Amino acid sequence: MPGATIGLLGGGQLGRMLAHAGNRLGYRFVTLDPTPDSPCGQTAAQIIASYDDRDAARELAERSDVITYEFENVDADVAAMLEAESYVPQGSKLLYTTQHRLREKRAVEAAGATVAPYAEIVSLNSLQDAVAHLGLPAVLKTATGGYDGKGQWVLREATDLELAWNEASQAGTELVLEQFIKFDKEISVIAARSPSGEVRTFVPAENIHVNNILHLSIVPARVPLGVLAEAERLAVSIAETLGAVGLIAVEMFLTADGQLFVNELAPRPHNSGHYTMEACRTSQFEQHIRAICNLPLGDPSLLTPVVMVNVLGEHMEPLLAWMSKKDDAAEQLGVTPKVHLYGKAEAKHKRKMGHVNVLAPNVDAALEWVSQSPIWRV
Ligand code: AMP
């Protein structure tokens, strides 16, 4: 109950926004992160240590009533130790499943959802066999550790196989080959499940990536209503089948003929759910806190169309220049851009520094504001 302390493994922006939402409900936070003055450390008590430091993890357990995490690559030993010594309502099984693409795909299939046809790859020979079976183009992925397009090789021609195998086999993890899905749109659905089995979903977002990094989330996704409903139904089924507690984000590809393929799961708040902060009755961050603390889930209804735009390091200068002036274009278009910054000191190229939620009468007005804005020209 409020007054209790929530321990957060990871001190990035997701932790920061969880702490902001939880603070409002009266919870205290302590975060474990190797970086001093991390985004979450600015708003919570901080233990500065590496994620695989067992003593530091034990200290986190001692200081917390409940523990959660803001990234999925939590060291398996640390996760098991925390579970033994503290209360981790999400459990380590959900992490075990989502940390590994092959295990994740099997779990998604068990929930009755479809994934891109795939094969486990253990040798150049098995890669050649899989390509003969699945066809080209195809995507070779490391089973663990990949993010933002890292750990992936797109195979277009037969001559790409050997080079990709040579590089990928150095990664020291299992590999999986996926058929390339010629998708029309990428969408995501965030579901929350509480220990008592209550499940709620947020309205699906349509996601547009630039250089493998999320650029825009458009909500509601511009897809037929039947697809929105089916995407939410699949997310509920996945949350239930996995016995998830807390948030689970489900990324999907939508093809021209209306088929949905599940690409990836994330058992945590997701970048494509940042739009919920102002656009929903309950944000994804509050929902996660409610779920792990076994409070009744909040109403996730969408209050307004919205477009979320990520702010990367290269966007900081124009963003700050824009913030200091009155925005006539926003007024004319009837949109309200809400700025969120994560408190990161160094605006490195491609680093996620913040996001802007553009609340609008319709998504076209929000997209028009984004395209007129000086912030995302670079
Ligand atoms: P992931 O790390 O699995 O989320 O993949 C990163 C991005 O690569 C996705 O958002 C897609 O744009 C693209 N991608 C990954 N897998 C496939 C696939 N099987 N077919 C087509 N595009 C893919």
Side-chain angles (χ1 to χ4, degrees):
M1 289 306 289
T5 299
I6 299 177
L8 265 167
L9 211 47
Q13 62 264 24
L14 301 177
R16 175 184 177 98
M17 292 184 275
L18 279 172
H20 285 158
N23 280 157
R24 277 200 297 275
L25 291 172
Y27 291 98
R28 297 167 189 275
F29 284 81
V30 53
T31 175
L32 190 164
D33 193 278
T35 330
D37 199 40
S38 64
C40 185
Q42 294 169 18
T43 195
Q46 195 174 3
I47 300 168
I48 301 169
S50 78
Y51 299 127
D52 55 7
D53 181 332
R54 286 176 67 91
D55 292 334
R58 186 164 286 121
E59 186 189 339
L60 183 73
E62 278 164 8
R63 290 171 64 177
S64 313
D65 300 297
V66 185
I67 287 184
T68 187
Y69 44 81
E70 57 128 41
F71 57 93
E72 53 266 62
N73 292 320
V74 179
D75 184 271
D77 282 351
V78 167
M81 196 268 281
L82 289 175
E83 227 186 334
E85 299 201 9
S86 184
Y87 175 49
V88 189
Q90 287 164 282
S92 52
K93 187 156 174 284
L94 184 62
L95 275 178
Y96 179 77
T97 305
T98 55
Q99 274 173 350
H100 193 286
R101 287 190 193 270
L102 285 163
R103 292 198 286 263
E104 183 173 277
K105 287 179 191 301
R106 290 178 197 124
V108 168
E109 290 176 309
T114 308
V115 296
Y118 67 97
E120 184 176 352
I121 304 301
V122 294
S123 63
L124 179 55
N125 246 336
S126 73
L127 178 60
Q128 285 158 342
D129 286 351
V131 165
H133 182 63
L134 299 175
L136 290 176
V139 193
L140 183 64
K141 298 183 180 181
T142 55
T144 59
Y147 67 95
D148 287 349
K150 293 187 179 72
Q152 293 194 16
W153 294 263
V154 178
L155 312 180
R156 297 187 189 282
E157 295 165 37
T159 50
D160 293 339
L161 271 61
E162 198 167 335
L163 188 69
W165 165 258
N166 286 341
E167 283 188 25
S169 56
Q170 303 294 311
T173 162
E174 290 150 285
L175 299 169
V176 52
L177 185 76
E178 287 175 20
Q179 197 174 77
F180 194 88
I181 304 295
K182 290 184 190 66
F183 57 81
D184 246 19
K185 285 190 170 14
E186 291 189 76
I187 65 172
S188 58
V189 186
I190 295 167
R193 185 175 174 278
S194 67
S196 62
E198 187 186 9
V199 184
R200 305 298 300 262
T201 53
F202 291 97
V203 171
E206 172 184 341
N207 299 319
I208 295 179
H209 296 85
V210 173
N211 299 325
N212 282 313
I213 300 174
L214 184 65
H215 173 47
L216 300 173
S217 289
I218 301 165
V219 188
R222 296 168 300 177
V223 302
L225 285 178
V227 173
L228 291 180
E230 175 65 3
E232 289 194 47
R233 192 189 68 77
L234 291 174
V236 170
S237 173
I238 288 168
E240 285 176 343
T241 307
L242 268 72
V245 169
L247 296 179
I248 179 144
V250 185
E251 295 180 30
M252 306 176 195
F253 300 137
L254 173 65
T255 57
D257 61 358
Q259 249 194 301
L260 285 168
F261 293 91
V262 172
N263 175 38
E264 242 187 354
L265 308 179
R268 53 167 171 79
H270 196 259
N271 195 166
S272 70
H274 292 357
Y275 80 84
T276 60
M277 295 177 84
E278 286 97 4
C280 293
R281 292 193 174 176
T282 306
S283 75
Q284 64 166 343
F285 301 102
E286 179 180 342
Q287 200 73 308
H288 184 71
I289 300 296
R290 289 183 159 277
I292 61 167
C293 294
N294 205 13
L295 300 177
L297 297 181
D299 177 358
S301 303
L302 188 68
L303 296 164
T304 169
V306 57
V307 170
M308 189 279 324
V309 204
N310 267 335
V311 174
L312 306 181
E314 58 270 35
H315 306 133
M316 278 305 283
E317 251 186 63
L319 176 98
L320 295 175
W322 162 78
M323 272 183 86
S324 62
K325 285 190 240 125
K326 190 167 167 291
D327 185 341
D328 295 329
E331 210 159 289
Q332 272 159 23
L333 289 162
V335 308
T336 307
K338 306 295 277 188
V339 177
H340 299 261
L341 290 172
Y342 309 146
K344 297 182 186 177
E346 227 188 310
K348 283 192 205 145
H349 194 70
K350 301 259 175 282
R351 186 179 204 193
K352 288 177 182 170
M353 302 297 291
H355 67 272
V356 180
N357 285 338
V358 188
L359 311 178
N362 53 68
V363 296
D364 288 337
L367 290 169
E368 180 56 31
W369 179 83
V370 176
S371 72
Q372 283 183 23
S373 163
I375 304 168
W376 294 279
R377 295 269 159 83
V378 281

